[in-house]
Amino acid sequence: MVDVPTYLASLAPLPEADFSEFGEVEIQPISRIQQLTGAFLGRNWVTIPHVTHHDEVDVTDAEARRTAWNKDHPEAKLTPVVLQVKALAAVLPAFPHFNASLSGDGKSLILKKYVNIGVAVDTPRGLVVPVIRNVGQNTVAELAAQLAQMAEKARTKGLSMAEMAGSSMAISSLGHIGGTAFTPIINAPDVAILGVTAVQLRPAPAPDGGIVWRKMLPLSLSYDHRVINGADAARFVRAIGQKLSDPALLA
Ligand code: CAO
């Protein structure tokens, strides 16, 4: 049997290419945030056995309630991500292995009794993940204000390391751009991350035998397979779908 360090040392090095041999090129510096993020993402990708579970959940009722809420509260704006943060936080207590981290020696699991949700924010300098703390204690209006303020700070002034630490899980939403699925990389030391892409209209059978159009939200849950099994991942995503449909979510 070949041991792993020996195998890794035997891999062919990446070729050093002089691309100007093939045509005109331009050298662009990579921002400090992108360099740091790249190092963390590379580490997480190679050290965590990722599996991504894809599903679609029906958000027709949730979207109708969100639209009505926005009409009644012109001073605030609920985006879909706010409801997803709230739903994720609400299901985590019933799935303690998702709100956990592996100890450094891999021999124990640290179960977190707090629920803090990271939200991936795309900034001109790169991707950052500010953390919203104690999500369950906040109303949706408070969450919307916090998310807007954190995204604005991330894009303008930048965030401190403390503002990006201490998450239970993170959400990475590409829903405002598009997509039907992707494989987000876990934001270690978290053990799972929820990827969101754009709502799709799908035909479904109506009770009268006809067809109704439903709004389906694609969810892509990447999880650390050392900690979470596939059946729990499938149940977890279904539970998020049920929570999104719960009228109490808008409290
Ligand atoms: N399906 C369809 N539309 C969606 C949607 C979805 N799943 N999610 C959001 N939208 C819509 C919103 O309803 C809003 O529409 P209106 O302006 O018409 O009301 C619009 O998209 C823009 O939303 P937003 O981006 O202003 O706000 P948000 O709360 O949806 O997202 C934030 C906030 C910070 C998550 C987002 O701006 C962002 O930066 N996302 C990028 C994250 C990222 O890059 N992840 C990839 C990481 S891996 O490289």
Side-chain angles (χ1 to χ4, degrees), residues 208-220:
D208 65 2
I211 280 182
V212 284
W213 289 90
R214 306 292 295 179
K215 290 183 174 171
M216 303 300 290
L217 179 71
L219 297 178
S220 300

Side-chain angles (χ1 to χ4, degrees), residues 127-152:
L127 185 71
V128 289
V129 188
V131 176
I132 304 180
R133 283 160 216 284
N134 301 315
V135 170
Q137 291 161 22
N138 294 311
T139 63
V140 282
E142 287 164 345
L143 280 178
Q146 281 178 49
L147 178 60
Q149 183 251 323
M150 282 190 145
E152 168 69 14

Side-chain angles (χ1 to χ4, degrees), residues 179-245:
T180 53
F182 70 116
T183 50
I185 298 179
I186 296 166
N187 188 29
D190 297 355
V191 292
I193 182 168
L194 185 66
V196 180
T197 43
V199 165
Q200 315 281 322
L201 274 179
R202 302 252 188 255
D208 65 2
I211 280 182
V212 284
W213 289 90
R214 306 292 295 179
K215 290 183 174 171
M216 303 300 290
L217 179 71
L219 297 178
S220 300
L221 175 80
S222 290
Y223 58 91
D224 183 336
H225 210 349
R226 295 170 298 181
V227 179
I228 292 163
N229 63 38
D232 282 337
R235 287 186 200 104
F236 185 73
V237 174
R238 294 272 101 190
I240 292 171
Q242 279 163 11
K243 196 51 81 177
L244 282 170
S245 295

